[in-house]
Amino acid sequence: MNLEAYDLLPGSSGFAFEFISVGPKGRIEKIVTYTEMETPGFFNLGFGDKDPITKRMDDLSRSGNGDTEKVLASVVQTLLQFTSLNPNAIVHAKGSTKARNRLYQMGISKYLDDVMKNFKVYGFSTSGWEVFKKGIPYEAFMAHRLSFTTPT
Amino acid sequence: MKAKKKKKDVLSKGGPSMELDHYLDDPYFKKKLAEANAFIARVGLPKELEHRLNR
């Protein structure tokens, strides 16, 4: 996958990443986290903007910095790094809004052929979970490396 | 006239940041994790991955 992405700063645990979006609204610090869910081996992908003053995450931010594709590519890079260190991890992602889910959907659809070389991707719609297909409005996503193995 | 030095749009290179790991405990991400757990408890997992529940 050869997408233009921002430089990533990883956390020492390998479960958190930071990058800086640059655009008309200035420099916006973005944080991506992978947190293990109640089901072992499943990790929730968290994504958001850091408040420049409090340094806490800003739940209501809508940065709109004109660099959507580069931001998406950067999130994909964190997924590549995270799953290369944790090859059996299954990553769950669900946008906090319909708009953010559409964004994830667009990103996966646009690079589907590349994504499918490394990952198996599922989408959740009104019909339940299925292998990701273009053009279906999904509410949530899951992905794991194709090299993923089931522990015995 | 000397061109203004462009502000770097990349993070400083270096080793992994311990500071970043604090975000794993940020209330925003805790809330997202709780929502994700509740969502999976409600809708289940893709059939192919259900065996992971029995580990």
Side-chain angles (χ1 to χ4, degrees), chain A residues 53-118:
Chain A
I53 297 161
T54 65
K55 301 292 179 194
R56 302 281 292 270
M57 296 306 297
D58 183 355
D59 206 359
L60 300 172
S61 67
R62 302 282 180 272
S63 51
N65 216 5
D67 57 350
T68 303
E69 292 216 354
K70 199 168 175 181
V71 166
L72 267 174
S74 307
V75 175
V76 170
Q77 288 303 317
T78 69
L79 181 66
L80 288 168
Q81 286 195 24
F82 175 73
T83 54
S84 75
L85 289 172
N86 302 280
N88 291 333
I90 299 167
V91 175
H92 169 264
K94 187 176 185 301
S96 48
T97 60
K98 282 186 178 175
R100 191 161 278 178
N101 267 335
R102 269 201 305 274
L103 189 69
Y104 289 153
Q105 175 117 14
M106 277 163 41
I108 298 169
S109 296
K110 186 161 185 180
Y111 303 108
L112 190 62
D113 292 342
D114 271 344
V115 169
M116 295 298 196
K117 284 178 195 161
N118 295 299

Side-chain angles (χ1 to χ4, degrees), chain A residues 7 9-13 15 18-20 22 27 31 33 35-42 44 46-47 50 55-57 59 88 92 94 96 120 122 124 129 139-140 142 148 150, chain B residues 7-21 23-24 26-29 31-33 35-49 51-53 55:
Chain A
D7 284 350
L9 177 67
S12 53
S13 65
F15 292 86
E18 181 175 14
F19 62 90
I20 299 177
V22 181
R27 295 158 54 83
I31 304 287
T33 58
T35 319
E36 190 157 28
M37 299 174 68
E38 284 170 359
T39 311
F42 286 71
N44 188 54
F47 171 60
K50 195 199 281 188
K55 301 292 179 194
R56 302 281 292 270
M57 296 306 297
D59 206 359
N88 291 333
H92 169 264
K94 187 176 185 301
S96 48
K120 181 145 194 182
Y122 302 88
F124 180 84
W129 287 105
E139 196 183 329
M142 273 195 199
F148 161 93
T150 303
Chain B
K7 202 171 184 182
K8 275 189 164 184
D9 65 351
V10 295
L11 293 159
S12 55
K13 300 274 185 186
S17 157
M18 281 179 70
E19 191 191 315
L20 259 183
D21 291 335
Y23 284 98
L24 294 167
D26 189 284
Y28 171 85
F29 288 124
K31 184 177 152 210
K32 298 294 170 204
L33 177 64
E35 287 171 0
N37 281 322
F39 178 73
I40 294 303
R42 182 168 61 85
V43 307
L45 298 171
K47 275 203 167 49
E48 289 174 53
L49 301 175
H51 61 278
R52 299 279 293 210
L53 283 171
R55 280 174 58 197

